Amino acid sequence: MKIEIPYRQRKAVAQLVDPDKVTEESLVQTAENAVRAKVDFFLAGGSLTSVPVNNLIEKLKRLTDIPVILFPGNLIQLTAEADGVFLLSLISGRNPELLIGNHVIAAPFLKNIRESVIPVGYILVDCGGRTSVEYMSQTSPVPRDKYDIAVATALAGEMLGMKAIYLEAGSGATLPVDIKMIEAVKAEITIPLITGGGLNTPDKIEEAFIAGADMVVLGNGCEKNDQLIKYACQVRDKFNKSK
Ligand code: 1GP
């Protein structure tokens, strides 16, 4: 399946499901809520891996028709089970393994499913407090108010051939990415803009869309409030109807 991240004409909601955080029962509930809300994509992955992600993907695909994108936190999570694979380059960081090393290791495996690979320029933004991504990647995030650095990084990602830019506050971030940073990046790039981290209320989701995000990614917020995914999709629908 060729996954297209919506761009300009349509906005999308993705729900992040971490294999380490779900139970059989919570997954069934998550799937039911997501189908009812008409979630666009599931992202499957997480920072740590005690349970294989392919089991989770299989279950999500059994329970719903929603496309599943692998959002690998590490090489152990590499699998051909997903409909799409985010090939993430952590372009805000200077860790060579996350810029090219892991990609070289993964490439011989990914070549067999190359149509499903989506190269993503992943930009970690400082949003108050150290996040798991920052620690696990051993990289420094872009300072929260340095919009020009985020823009330059996103432009570099686009010109290097990335098919989307992901502005990431980090899972469970206290604050989402500043809307001024989303606006600044959106004004300069011509590829889809994804944002996530700390989007735990309908207002924050709406602000991210207004600022120019094409897709929002929700994780923790949905674990804490099972109505959030419904509200997020209603906000998305409001934007998509107005087009
Ligand atoms: C993580 O952006 C996602 O990559 C989701 O973050 O868990 O804070 O919603 P949250």
Side-chain angles (χ1 to χ4, degrees):
M1 180 193 291
K2 180 110 177 88
I3 300 263
E4 299 284 347
I5 304 298
Y7 181 56
R8 286 197 201 284
Q9 296 312 314
R10 215 167 64 73
K11 295 195 184 279
V13 171
Q15 182 166 2
L16 175 65
V17 188
D18 184 335
D20 277 9
K21 291 192 186 165
V22 288
T23 61
E24 291 289 334
E25 304 80 65
S26 76
L27 192 61
V28 170
Q29 193 58 57
T30 297
E32 278 176 17
N33 290 346
V35 168
R36 214 172 298 128
K38 298 197 169 60
V39 165
D40 296 275
F41 303 105
F42 282 120
L43 297 194
S47 297
L48 298 172
T49 315
S50 61
V51 191
V53 74
N54 48 338
N55 290 355
L56 167 71
I57 296 171
E58 243 172 65
K59 284 179 194 156
L60 284 172
K61 290 170 75 74
R62 198 158 8 93
L63 292 165
T64 79
D65 290 329
I66 298 169
V68 184
I69 302 175
L70 180 68
F71 182 51
N74 52 57
L75 282 169
I76 300 174
Q77 293 179 351
L78 214 51
T79 168
E81 292 295 323
D83 300 299
V85 178
F86 276 174
L87 183 61
L88 301 165
S89 295
L90 185 47
I91 55 176
S92 54
R94 299 296 179 268
N95 178 341
E97 295 309 318
L98 304 179
L99 287 166
I100 183 63
N102 285 352
H103 310 66
V104 172
I105 294 169
F109 177 84
L110 290 174
K111 76 170 188 190
N112 301 312
I113 50 164
R114 66 177 78 199
E115 330 64 55
S116 62
V117 172
I118 307 158
V120 174
Y122 193 51
I123 300 178
L124 182 60
V125 181
D126 187 357
C127 287
R130 260 194 123 192
T131 57
S132 304
V133 199
E134 181 182 346
Y135 179 76
M136 296 300 284
S137 67
Q138 295 288 297
T139 66
S140 314
V142 175
R144 179 165 176 77
D145 56 351
K146 301 291 183 202
Y147 313 135
D148 53 349
I149 296 179
V151 168
T153 309
L155 280 171
E158 175 172 351
M159 289 186 278
L160 280 166
M162 312 290 168
K163 295 289 182 261
I165 294 294
Y166 191 141
L167 284 179
E168 171 70 276
S171 196
T174 324
L175 297 168
V177 175
D178 190 330
I179 53 168
K180 291 205 199 89
M181 185 178 278
I182 299 177
E183 279 168 1
V185 170
K186 180 64 184 178
E188 295 287 345
I189 61 170
T190 64
I191 52 177
L193 178 58
I194 304 167
T195 192
L199 293 171
N200 50 16
T201 68
D203 285 353
K204 289 179 190 169
I205 293 161
E206 184 161 20
E207 283 169 8
F209 276 144
I210 292 172
D214 297 296
M215 180 159 102
V216 294
V217 180
L218 313 177
N220 279 272
C222 301
E223 288 159 24
K224 296 195 177 112
N225 171 3
D226 65 1
Q227 299 295 302
L228 185 68
I229 201 68
K230 179 175 87 184
Y231 296 135
C233 291
Q234 285 170 352
V235 174
R236 170 206 61 195
D237 292 343
K238 198 170 75 181
F239 277 93
N240 291 348
K241 269 195 203 116
S242 67
K243 295 274 166 165

